[in-house]
């Protein structure tokens, strides 16, 4: 099994920045993909970005140019740096892990991000 623990959420004003962290542990050989999703109550979970073991990254259109996903293989941590935040970024952000081509099998508990106008 793989465990994921997110941190770094909070309240920020529009235009500000937040840095979310996802610490991975357990049988990490089972995963080669870590991603971030977000969800607003009453809406479907939305994919934000992902990063593969080799470092390749992908971003949703809403995140491109503002968010950066990176990984620290020594600390087994994936970071989502979010800049130029808007109220539309308000959501619970989830870290997820799995294998490329198979999908996400493991999920964290989520961290709340609130952006005030």
């Amino acid at each position: 099994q793989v465990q994921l623990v997110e941190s770094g959420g909070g309240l920020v004003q529009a235009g500000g920045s937040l840095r979310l962290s996802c610490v991975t542990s357990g049988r990490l050989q089972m995963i080669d993909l870590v991603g971030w999703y977000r969800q607003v109550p009453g809406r479907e979970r939305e994919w934000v970005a992902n990063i593969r073991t080799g470092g390749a990254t992908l971003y949703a259109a809403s995140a491109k140019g503002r968010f950066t996903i990176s990984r620290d293989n020594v600390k087994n941590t994936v970071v989502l740096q979010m800049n130029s935040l808007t109220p539309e970024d308000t959501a619970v952000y989830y870290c997820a892990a799995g294998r490329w081509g198979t999908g996400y099998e493991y999920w964290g508990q989520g961290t709340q991000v609130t952006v005030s106008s």
Side-chain angles (χ1 to χ4, degrees):
Q1 297 298 317
V2 175
Q3 294 78 44
L4 308 172
V5 178
E6 304 102 328
S7 62
L11 174 64
V12 65
Q13 288 188 332
S17 299
L18 280 175
R19 181 181 174 91
L20 305 184
S21 294
C22 174
V23 178
T24 64
S25 62
R27 299 181 64 186
L28 299 184
Q29 66 271 25
M30 299 175 67
I31 61 173
D32 62 7
L33 178 70
V34 177
W36 287 93
Y37 280 74
R38 65 187 183 185
Q39 189 168 25
V40 175
R43 296 173 61 178
E44 289 190 1
R45 192 169 292 186
E46 175 191 15
W47 169 71
V48 176
N50 64 36
I51 187 166
R52 298 178 65 178
T53 300
T57 58
L58 287 173
Y59 296 92
S62 59
K64 194 170 293 185
R66 299 187 302 129
F67 296 1
T68 302
I69 189 170
S70 61
R71 64 188 303 145
D72 182 332
N73 290 329
V74 174
K75 297 181 179 180
N76 292 326
T77 299
V78 172
V79 171
L80 184 69
Q81 176 67 43
M82 305 188 296
N83 299 326
S84 303
L85 287 164
T86 73
E88 288 68 39
D89 295 314
T90 295
V92 177
Y93 283 70
Y94 295 90
C95 179
R99 295 198 67 83
W100 183 262
T102 302
Y104 296 100
E105 184 175 356
Y106 306 99
W107 293 84
Q109 80 287 354
T111 185
Q112 176 70 47
V113 170
T114 303
V115 184
S116 63
S117 58

